[in-house]
Amino acid sequence: AEKTWNPVTGCSKISPGCQNCYAERMAKRLRGRCGYDADEPFRVTLHPERLEEPMRWRKPSMVFVCSMGDLFHDDVPDEFIHRVFATIGQCPQHTFIILTKRPKRMKEFIVDCYAYESPSGDEKGVHILPNVWLGVTAENQEMADERIPVLLQIPAAIRFVSVEPMLGAVDLDSYLITGADRPGSSMRKGLDWVICGGETGPHARPVHPDWVRGLRDQCQSAGVPFFFKQWGEYIHASQTP
């Protein structure tokens, strides 16, 4: 991403990857400033004054939406999510990257909001927004198996998974390619992109190189782009001179 856009900030912990949340740590440093509450800096907060920010960015950009929260948190009203997507619809020059740990709500919103039916009733479906990439966090196998199947039910231009912080070996083989996929097809049924990274900051948990290499090899075999972001706070003994 080249820019971040935070019309919503704040979140609450729902899985092991949330334990040492970087966004919560940053929000606490900014308490009382920059729109963060002095008493509860990581409380879910709506920022309607930020809704039009992308409209003022002339240069086409990759935009990470809600880097300091989760757009699909239960405390974010549907009406406000609609306003966020209204801005996205008015900014076709930008590509918006949306990452969530709550794919069920994301699915409900996308399907309800962008469902269509032909006048004759013969055709039904969901409109795909060409400038929106949808993803889920899957820090371990349990979260991958819980969240990715839901993500793959949501029509999107690009669907991706962020294995960060990586807390264990993750097998994504069944999600990278399905029987309907064909080499070079523009209608992939599996994941289009995989991000991977270790944890940073105080109390960070180490990532084993074999976990990363295994995930890289899966992606390479499936022809899916793999982005290794960082080792995180630690390196394994095997990586030292």
Side-chain angles (χ1 to χ4, degrees):
E2 298 162 309
K3 291 183 179 292
T4 57
W5 176 40
N6 282 291
V8 174
T9 57
C11 198
S12 54
K13 294 178 170 62
I14 61 169
S15 66
C18 303
Q19 179 176 307
N20 301 315
C21 178
Y22 78 90
E24 181 180 26
R25 192 164 63 246
M26 185 178 297
K28 288 179 178 178
R29 288 203 299 266
L30 295 171
R31 64 170 67 240
R33 299 179 291 128
C34 305
Y36 296 93
D37 186 77
D39 298 321
E40 297 180 76
F42 206 50
R43 174 173 52 86
V44 175
T45 304
L46 311 183
H47 300 277
E49 73 282 359
R50 300 179 183 176
L51 283 170
E52 296 184 359
E53 283 182 355
M55 299 181 190
R56 297 193 287 269
W57 299 334
R58 295 185 178 181
K59 180 182 178 182
S61 301
M62 299 286 288
V63 182
F64 184 15
V65 181
C66 294
S67 64
M68 292 293 291
D70 191 328
L71 181 61
F72 293 98
H73 192 284
D74 289 343
D75 291 342
V76 182
D78 283 347
E79 184 274 336
F80 196 80
I81 301 176
H82 277 287
R83 295 177 67 184
V84 170
F85 272 80
T87 294
I88 290 173
Q90 295 177 66
C91 297
Q93 73 275 27
H94 301 314
T95 298
F96 294 85
I97 303 171
I98 302 177
L99 179 67
T100 186
K101 290 184 174 70
R102 297 165 174 86
K104 291 182 180 179
R105 189 172 183 212
M106 181 165 69
K107 177 188 173 185
E108 291 171 359
F109 177 84
I110 297 292
V111 171
D112 289 347
C113 186
Y114 294 99
Y116 71 84
E117 181 176 343
S118 64
S120 63
D122 296 334
E123 183 181 1
K124 297 181 181 180
V126 178
H127 288 291
I128 294 177
L129 297 177
N131 64 331
V132 177
W133 297 10
L134 301 178
V136 295
T137 300
E139 63 268 34
N140 56 27
Q141 191 66 50
E142 180 184 1
M143 292 300 101
D145 293 338
E146 177 181 314
R147 294 170 180 161
I148 296 175
V150 180
L151 173 68
L152 295 181
Q153 296 173 37
I154 308 173
I158 294 290
R159 289 176 298 201
F160 69 96
V161 62
S162 176
V163 186
E164 185 184 13
M166 192 177 202
L167 301 180
V170 177
D171 184 350
L172 297 183
D173 271 345
S174 61
Y175 305 124
L176 297 174
I177 285 186
T178 71
D181 280 335
R182 295 290 182 271
S185 170
S186 61
M187 298 295 290
R188 291 189 60 84
K189 304 300 181 184
L191 293 167
D192 299 286
W193 185 32
V194 174
I195 303 167
C196 173
E199 191 167 44
T200 61
H203 313 296
R205 292 158 287 184
V207 57
H208 196 288
D210 288 347
W211 303 344
V212 177
R213 293 172 184 141
L215 193 55
R216 175 204 61 192
D217 293 346
Q218 294 170 45
C219 292
Q220 188 173 37
S221 296
V224 173
F226 173 74
F227 173 49
F228 178 52
K229 188 174 176 182
Q230 61 192 3
W231 283 112
E233 199 73 17
Y234 297 95
I235 60 171
H236 191 261
S238 65
Q239 298 168 267
T240 59

